[in-house]
Amino acid sequence: MTDVMEKMRRTNPTLATDPDNQPGSHAQALLESITSQNRLTRPRRRRWVNVGIAVAASVLLGCALVAQPLFGGGSGVAVASTPALLVYSSEQPLAAQLRAQKLAAAVGRLTEPERANTYTRTAGWYYNMTEGEGNTLDPQSIERWITPDGEVIARHQDGSVTDGSSMWNGKEAPTDPGALLKFLSIGHPIEEMGTGELEVAIADYYRESNPTPTQRAALIRLFGSAPGVVSYGNVVDRAGREGVAFSIDTPMSGAPERRTLIFDSATGYLLSEEEVAFALTNDGPRLPEPRVTAYTLFYPPTADLPTRP
Amino acid sequence: MTDDEATFSALYRQHYSYVRAYARRRFSVAADDVVADVFTVAWRKLEDYEAGGLPWLYAVAARVGAANRRSDARAKFGMLHLALVDLSTAADDVAVEREVMQRALSRLSSDDREALMLIGWESLTNEEAAQVLGCSTSTLAVRLHRARKRLELAIGIETHNPQHNEDITLEQAGTLT
């Protein structure tokens, strides 16, 4: 053991033997809660724990709001406003793989000038169910500047600036399907969570990168061929842009939901991510009919990049 | 109680405190959420859990913790590189040393940091740490060798007037091998 490792041991901030880490009543309750679940169901994310209800403050881009009860009916039940569902060209799910391959083939042939891979912009909304966050309906607009070494500087809608690190340390996504899946699994437990997590990873990659045409084609091909992915055809997103939609139904956030990626039908650039929750049959929050719980709009890079804060 | 429940309960009681300590070091206030998610995955993949034991749990915790951190980041983008455990209860000299160590660790890459923490704080063997990180033991040994040197350098920077050295990178401070 070297000196530096001895120092690490000496400065260990918490040991497994500390009283705070011993299993108490909370651990016993957790054990009983876990073993009461069917082993074949997927894990529930904390996001759905201790859900509170609030009323929408605002929604970006003037998208329609519909005020309807979010959870069940009856007196005393809080009401929340959620954006209207998008209208897709097909009500029935269509096979995704062929559609994705066709789009990817066209996108992969595109040629584009050298791109700036240092700035991205997203805007959107989500129903905040994070514990301790006040359960408000948050509009959010975020600009991100990504440095070559993977630092991400974000400027938020309120003008505040934060910094963090890139999931991928500024690295470029490979285009080989196997390598791409492995790459996207960084910071994203796709193996544990399934195709829903792949959807999240692709959207996150777009938050940190402006993929090239070949990378965009590879991302479309990968998602379109992933287990459970279907297409509901074309759709106009909340910024009025037409794209091709690919969706996965998943319970990975703790409740049945549909997660959709909408790709530009000409450039293959990711335009939007949509999350829609469905009614539950388990002990989670009751959503009497499909509701939009989040969406994000992605804006392709422009020639004039804003100055980094 | 079914056989699965009995097996899982025994493993849970054996590993709970280790996973909680692991999560508290890395995910601070979100530690309990990570612990709950990790054992939920373990219950669903009980066969893998039985085969992989504690290193397997740590690998799941790393991925689940990263996913939870990302969810938080969607709201605030407040990514924590390292959970800062409350130091106020420690003796003064240990508290100072811990603060230096945490600042030094935060200067390292996440790969270096995780390798060091698995050995130094989780007390895993090289073989177990390699299992968590999904690499070979020889790869881990090389990574550890370099990470220790970087950590020594970072401790040096943090020990000597850290407030004036915030912009110094490890590469600027010395040659690394």
Side-chain angles (χ1 to χ4, degrees), chain B residues 59-72:
Chain B
V60 173
R63 291 192 287 272
V64 168
N68 286 6
R69 183 179 290 167
R70 185 197 62 235
S71 295
D72 289 346

Side-chain angles (χ1 to χ4, degrees), chain A residues 61 63 86 236-242 271-272 295 297-299:
Chain A
L61 301 169
C63 72
L86 293 177
V236 175
D237 79 356
R238 298 179 192 282
R241 305 170 298 184
E242 185 173 347
L271 299 177
S272 292
Y295 69 80
L297 303 170
F298 296 80
Y299 294 96

Side-chain angles (χ1 to χ4, degrees), chain A residues 68-79 286-288:
Chain A
Q68 295 170 320
L70 185 59
F71 299 107
S75 61
V77 176
V79 175
R286 294 287 187 268
L287 298 175

Side-chain angles (χ1 to χ4, degrees), chain A:
Chain A
M1 184 67 66
T2 62
D3 278 352
V4 73
M5 296 310 288
E6 283 173 8
K7 273 185 189 170
M8 277 204 74
R9 283 195 189 283
R10 198 163 56 238
T11 57
N12 194 341
T14 180
L15 298 167
T17 51
D18 286 351
D20 281 354
N21 294 323
Q22 297 311 300
S25 57
H26 176 79
Q28 182 60 33
L30 174 62
L31 174 62
E32 289 169 7
S33 166
I34 291 172
T35 53
S36 69
Q37 294 175 26
N38 184 335
R39 278 195 56 213
L40 297 178
T41 58
R42 286 196 173 276
R44 305 182 59 188
R45 285 207 174 165
R46 297 296 96 193
R47 193 178 160 202
W48 290 88
V49 173
N50 296 336
V51 170
I53 306 297
V55 177
S58 63
V59 174
L60 297 176
L61 301 169
C63 72
L65 285 175
V66 285
Q68 295 170 320
L70 185 59
F71 299 107
S75 61
V77 176
V79 175
S81 297
T82 56
L85 295 168
L86 293 177
V87 179
Y88 297 83
S89 64
S90 172
E91 290 186 1
Q92 299 303 316
L94 309 170
Q97 190 164 9
L98 195 59
R99 204 175 180 87
Q101 285 176 350
K102 191 175 170 186
L103 175 59
V107 171
R109 288 193 293 269
L110 295 175
T111 54
E112 290 179 354
E114 190 75 16
R115 75 212 150 90
N117 200 20
T118 56
Y119 173 82
T120 68
R121 182 163 71 95
T122 60
W125 169 94
Y126 75 102
Y127 184 71
N128 188 352
M129 286 175 264
T130 305
E131 206 173 342
E133 292 294 334
N135 299 314
T136 56
L137 291 162
D138 295 341
Q140 48 174 341
S141 168
I142 304 178
E143 295 174 284
R144 296 178 178 86
W145 287 261
I146 301 97
T147 66
D149 61 354
E151 187 185 7
V152 181
I153 294 133
R155 181 162 64 198
H156 301 258
Q157 186 167 304
D158 63 2
S160 62
V161 176
T162 57
D163 62 0
S165 57
S166 159
M167 297 270 178
W168 292 278
N169 292 320
K171 291 176 184 164
E172 294 282 344
T175 53
D176 171 76
L180 179 57
L181 182 59
K182 190 175 177 185
F183 176 83
L184 292 171
S185 296
I186 295 171
H188 297 81
I190 295 170
E191 187 184 343
E192 281 83 10
M193 300 294 188
T195 303
E197 189 70 14
L198 173 63
E199 183 277 330
V200 173
I202 291 171
D204 278 349
Y205 185 62
Y206 267 90
R207 287 183 174 88
E208 295 188 1
S209 178
N210 294 304
T212 63
T214 52
Q215 287 172 325
R216 299 198 298 261
L219 290 163
I220 292 168
R221 209 174 272 121
L222 182 68
F223 190 57
S225 61
V229 173
V230 298
S231 175
Y232 287 90
N234 289 10
V235 63
V236 175
D237 79 356
R238 298 179 192 282
R241 305 170 298 184
E242 185 173 347
V244 185
F246 297 94
S247 304
I248 176 69
D249 288 354
T250 170
M252 73 173 204
S253 289
E257 63 178 349
R258 177 166 300 158
R259 307 183 69 91
T260 298
L261 295 178
I262 301 168
F263 296 97
D264 188 296
S265 46
T267 67
Y269 199 92
L270 178 63
L271 299 177
S272 292
E273 179 189 31
E274 290 271 324
E275 296 175 38
V276 172
F278 292 91
L280 296 179
T281 55
N282 59 17
D283 60 351
R286 294 287 187 268
L287 298 175
E289 55 188 29
R291 294 287 175 162
V292 175
T293 52
Y295 69 80
T296 303
L297 303 170
F298 296 80
Y299 294 96
T302 57
D304 300 325
L305 294 182
T307 306
R308 182 180 135 179

